[in-house]
Amino acid sequence: MDPVCLLTHPSTKARSETLGQRFREVRQQTHALAAPLSDEDCQLQSMPDCSPVKWHLAHTTWFFETFVLSRFDTGWQPFHPQYRMLFNSYYNAVGARHPRPQRGLLSRPPLADIWRYREAVDAAMLALIGRLAGSDSAFEELVELGLNHEQQHQELILTDIKHALSMNPIKPAYALDAPSNAVATIALNWLDYDGGRTRLGHDSNDAFAFDNEGPAHEVLLQPFSLANRLVTQREYLAFMQDGGYERPDLWLSLGWDRVCAEHWQAPLYWERDDDTWQVFTLHGLQPIDPDAPVTHVTYFEADAYARWAGARLPREAEWEHAARQLRAVAGDDCRLAAHANMLEQSHLSALAARAPSSTAPRLLQLYGDAWEWTCSPYEAYPGFTPPPGAVGEYNGKFMCNQYVLRGGSFATPASHIRATYRNFFPPDARWQFSGIRLARDIC
């Protein structure tokens, strides 16, 4: 499936067809991600932070039923009266919710009923798109929000099922064919940026962005450098072999507390086999690929590694400033993402950085492969106001005790990412496809 560029705008006459096509593609992509799984797989919930695939399938459908059909389709009748409570995630304004840690206990409704639920909502949504697209901007905005919401859950389907399958002692694979990646990564080097005044955040226009990406505003940057690629497994292994998990001087206090309490010795999914390491992947248990990016590290681990390497993590304004400069030279976000290792490439694994086609130095792996931790706390931009109503709960209420990640991963849809996109997780989150890019100050 070719990524649909969110930064292009069809004419009013074509909007119905374009939005309907995009709706079909996103919904079909979710179906394809669930296709390799059994009914039993789709029921698994391995920890409170993860959700069963069945719940993801239902919740993304619930979003369209609750926020679009119930508002714009006067003839719509709820598919099932209890679904409003069962598949509500965190929208207090909508009503009661089933407890998140207990989603795996919902053996009923069965998966077959959830597929019927999706079919019924899809049919109603496509009919509604045919009637309203091009004539009702509020409707179009909610549909686009729902599609981007579903793309977030597409990545969560992969992160959550990977964690669930990792709990199985036979280490089953989600996908059997592992990508061939017999390529040595390029050398790490540094790209310098002058700093100065720069624009941060999404400018108000017709292109979609989440509310937390704006308002756009000016920031002042000091001169800085960014590493040209992500940190590799070989490089992270050197940190481990140098006692990285045994040296409290490298760690933030809360991070060291977690190292001691959880007995961390390596990134999540790494397993020692005598003197070698293996890692559980969506392709099953594999030898570590020394040249591939390290993933499944927390903010605490990323920060400790950066200290050990004599560097630091980027600030999100630095990351976005560098992304905007690359976009000005190499093409827009859509073009960059379409050629990155993202969901549409179907590798389902972070890959070694490839040499650019141009000889000019440039940032690699800016989009795709692994989400990049920044040292920026997730907070509101100046002038941010959540939208009214229940959709205002989407992002704003989580702006506490979390850090920003940028760039997307191999499980992120290409049409879902852009330079202003702000992902966010608590600093001890490990099950996401999170990695490390280094930064440093220029004195």
Side-chain angles (χ1 to χ4, degrees):
M1 180 177 71
D2 293 330
V4 176
C5 183
L6 296 179
L7 304 182
T8 59
H9 317 295
S11 66
T12 301
K13 181 179 179 181
R15 280 187 179 179
S16 175
E17 181 180 347
T18 302
L19 189 59
Q21 177 187 358
R22 175 159 163 74
F23 182 87
R24 290 186 185 92
E25 288 178 346
V26 171
R27 298 287 281 176
Q28 289 169 359
Q29 179 67 76
T30 307
H31 190 289
L33 291 174
L37 302 173
S38 67
D39 289 8
E40 293 83 359
D41 291 332
C42 292
Q43 185 64 39
L44 294 173
Q45 182 179 24
S46 51
M47 66 171 176
D49 283 338
C50 293
S51 296
V53 171
K54 184 174 77 173
W55 188 90
H56 287 297
L57 296 172
H59 170 69
T60 50
T61 306
W62 170 96
F63 190 98
F64 287 112
E65 180 181 39
T66 301
F67 295 120
V68 183
L69 293 179
S70 296
R71 174 177 170 182
F72 292 95
D73 190 345
T74 57
W76 175 259
Q77 296 296 318
F79 184 85
H80 192 291
Q82 292 180 322
Y83 284 13
R84 186 176 178 90
M85 177 272 295
L86 287 178
F87 303 120
N88 181 4
S89 55
Y90 50 72
Y91 296 92
N92 294 309
V94 172
R97 297 167 293 150
H98 184 74
R100 179 174 181 172
Q102 299 176 20
R103 291 171 182 170
L105 301 179
L106 297 175
S107 61
R108 307 291 177 88
L111 183 61
D113 285 7
I114 301 305
W115 287 123
R116 285 191 286 271
Y117 180 37
R118 288 180 67 89
E119 291 172 2
V121 169
D122 285 357
M125 281 294 303
L126 288 169
L128 200 58
I129 289 171
R131 295 199 302 272
L132 297 183
S135 62
D136 191 322
S137 59
F139 167 77
E140 292 182 29
E141 289 170 3
L142 273 176
V143 174
E144 193 60 65
L145 176 62
L147 293 174
N148 278 268
H149 167 260
E150 180 143 353
Q151 288 181 311
Q152 289 179 318
H153 281 268
Q154 288 171 355
E155 183 157 4
L156 287 170
I157 284 173
L158 293 175
T159 58
D160 293 0
I161 195 60
K162 179 177 180 177
H163 191 270
L165 294 176
S166 76
M167 299 289 103
N168 189 322
I170 66 173
K171 304 299 181 185
Y174 166 83
L176 294 178
D177 297 328
S180 175
N181 190 34
V183 175
T185 194
I186 67 169
L188 187 145
N189 57 52
W190 297 89
L191 282 73
D192 294 341
Y193 297 87
D194 293 334
R197 290 190 177 276
T198 189
R199 197 84 169 155
L200 178 64
H202 191 269
D203 290 305
S204 178
N205 54 39
D206 292 336
F208 174 84
F210 287 114
D211 57 359
N212 66 354
E213 296 176 52
H217 57 286
E218 280 195 342
V219 295
L220 179 63
L221 297 179
Q222 299 301 315
F224 67 96
S225 299
L226 291 181
N228 62 322
R229 59 161 172 78
L230 302 178
V231 171
T232 66
Q233 295 180 23
R234 175 188 288 109
E235 290 163 341
Y236 197 87
L237 183 59
F239 162 76
M240 294 163 51
Q241 292 171 337
D242 195 38
Y245 284 91
E246 301 163 7
R247 294 174 51 185
D249 58 298
L250 296 174
W251 295 79
L252 295 168
S253 177
L254 288 177
W256 183 248
D257 289 346
R258 291 306 303 270
V259 170
C260 296
E262 304 292 337
H263 306 291
W264 291 346
Q265 296 181 336
L268 183 63
Y269 302 129
W270 283 40
E271 299 182 11
R272 190 190 293 273
D273 181 17
D274 294 327
D275 293 331
T276 62
W277 286 92
Q278 294 181 301
V279 58
F280 182 75
T281 73
L282 287 167
H283 306 283
L285 197 61
Q286 302 281 333
I288 66 167
D289 180 348
D291 294 304
V294 64
T295 56
H296 297 291
V297 290
T298 64
Y299 173 83
F300 294 135
E301 290 167 296
D303 178 78
Y305 177 87
R307 292 169 192 266
W308 175 82
R312 60 172 173 82
L313 299 179
R315 299 178 179 91
E316 68 166 323
E318 294 171 339
W319 190 98
E320 186 172 320
H321 176 70
R324 288 175 183 269
Q325 288 202 0
L326 179 61
R327 185 173 65 188
V329 173
D332 60 26
D333 291 324
C334 297
R335 190 177 310 159
L336 289 168
H339 292 90
N341 178 23
M342 306 198 79
L343 181 62
E344 289 81 359
Q345 303 296 325
S346 300
H347 293 308
L348 298 180
S349 181
L351 303 178
R354 307 297 178 99
S357 55
S358 169
T359 57
R362 55 164 285 187
L363 286 179
L364 304 174
Q365 301 174 309
L366 183 74
Y367 294 128
D369 284 300
W371 287 100
E372 302 175 27
W373 283 109
T374 75
C375 62
S376 297
Y378 178 52
E379 59 186 5
Y381 286 159
F384 170 79
T385 303
V391 293
E393 298 185 60
Y394 199 105
N395 284 310
K397 71 180 186 181
F398 298 108
M399 292 175 173
C400 179
N401 297 334
Q402 312 216 49
Y403 282 83
V404 174
L405 300 96
R406 294 296 193 115
S409 78
F410 65 82
T412 307
S415 64
H416 186 66
I417 201 67
R418 55 200 158 269
T420 58
Y421 194 107
R422 306 174 78 200
N423 201 355
F424 53 93
F425 280 100
D428 59 351
R430 303 187 96 196
W431 89 107
Q432 294 301 315
F433 302 119
S434 49
I436 311 169
R437 185 185 299 274
L438 298 176
R440 62 188 184 188
D441 300 317
I442 299 178
C443 301

